[in-house]
Amino acid sequence: MSTLTTAAGDTVTYDHYGPADAPGVLFIAGAGPTRADDPVTTETARLLGESGVQAVVHDRVGRGDSPAAGPVSLEREIAAIAALAATMPGPVALVGHSSGCAIAMIAASDMPDLGGLVLWEAPLGQFPEGAPAWWAGVEAHIAAGRLEDAVGAYMVGMPPEWLDELRRSPSYPGLIHSWIPDGTALARVEEDGVAARLSGITVPVLAVVGTDTFPGMAEAADAIADAAATGASESLTGAWHSWDPAVMSARLAALVQDGR
């Protein structure tokens, strides 16, 4: 476990796996997870390290061992990603999970040595009224201090048991403050358009879904692949919005080591 201070002044805690002179992979979680309650990503990073790839898993700003009081902006999360990527000297591939895909898409445009962009089940085009309108409603609840309503509005359309689990968290409902980067990024990517966001990216862009996934996810992956100059969409072993660590680590290793 290591820590660093970002350009925005936040302290971020992370775990590093693999040799320091190898290509790197930086995981960007979606809304909610910390290192402690996301063993799938940790195991994937450990397997990558064993295969000769650097991998970094961090607690996002305002979560777990990266505490921050109050609302967290997207810009602060982007600063954390930049600082973490700088700990790996070679090309770094960003791997976004769920809403973390939108954050990764925005961060990728400013990465000095981007090695690839991998997006696992990006929830783009999943809101009937569009992400900008959805996020405006969530933001209104946050601004008014209605944090429980904000969490409920954020979770619209998701399995109800996920919300039940969140309610048992000691950080509920304040955890919504660390979801602000997610909502902001999803709204911004949809508002700008996926093609505009990916237009300047020349490294491989891989949109991935699990073999057992939610409605609309495969279509979103295909749309991302079509919008990117070097895009592809694939299905890998996974279910319930998560992946199989052994399969995912092997796929990521092939991408960063062999460029395929």
Side-chain angles (χ1 to χ4, degrees):
M1 183 174 75
S2 303
T3 61
L4 55 74
T5 301
T6 75
D10 292 306
T11 298
V12 174
T13 298
Y14 65 97
D15 296 321
H16 177 274
Y17 302 85
D21 58 348
V25 169
L26 173 57
F27 291 92
I28 302 174
T34 66
R35 290 157 41 254
D37 56 25
D38 184 11
V40 169
T41 300
T42 293
E43 177 64 6
T44 306
R46 186 189 67 79
L47 291 170
L48 277 169
E50 290 183 352
S51 70
V53 176
Q54 290 188 83
V56 165
V57 181
H58 69 293
D59 277 340
R60 284 185 38 188
V61 179
R63 303 182 191 175
D65 295 322
S66 302
V72 176
S73 68
L74 173 60
E75 289 68 29
R76 287 167 66 184
E77 191 59 48
I78 296 295
I81 291 167
L84 290 159
T87 66
M88 294 180 278
V92 176
L94 299 181
V95 179
H97 179 202
S98 191
S99 54
C101 293
I103 297 173
M105 290 170 72
I106 292 172
S109 62
D110 293 323
M111 284 279 291
D113 197 5
L114 183 67
L117 182 61
V118 180
L119 308 172
W120 177 273
E121 299 197 349
L124 298 172
Q126 303 301 299
F127 302 94
E129 73 278 27
W134 158 79
W135 180 239
V138 179
E139 276 192 307
H141 287 308
I142 296 173
R146 300 187 298 267
L147 301 188
E148 291 194 38
D149 290 337
V151 175
Y154 190 103
M155 298 289 289
V156 64
M158 299 185 194
E161 55 266 35
W162 289 9
L163 182 56
D164 291 340
E165 184 177 347
L166 284 171
R167 291 191 177 113
R168 293 191 288 270
S169 168
S171 59
Y172 177 85
L175 49 77
I176 190 68
H177 285 144
S178 76
W179 297 6
I180 291 173
D182 303 78
T184 304
L186 284 168
R188 190 173 297 178
V189 168
E190 282 201 11
E191 195 166 51
D192 294 346
V194 173
R197 271 289 159 194
L198 297 177
S199 62
I201 297 178
T202 58
V203 296
V205 176
L206 181 62
V208 197
V209 298
T211 46
D212 184 6
T213 189
F214 297 116
M217 288 294 176
E219 291 78 5
D222 289 343
I224 291 169
D226 290 343
T230 54
S233 61
E234 294 181 9
S235 175
L236 295 178
T237 304
W240 281 96
H241 214 30
S242 187
W243 59 69
D244 177 274
V247 174
M248 185 63 158
S249 63
R251 183 65 187 91
L252 293 174
L255 178 75
V256 300
Q257 290 176 325
D258 306 324
R260 60 176 177 83

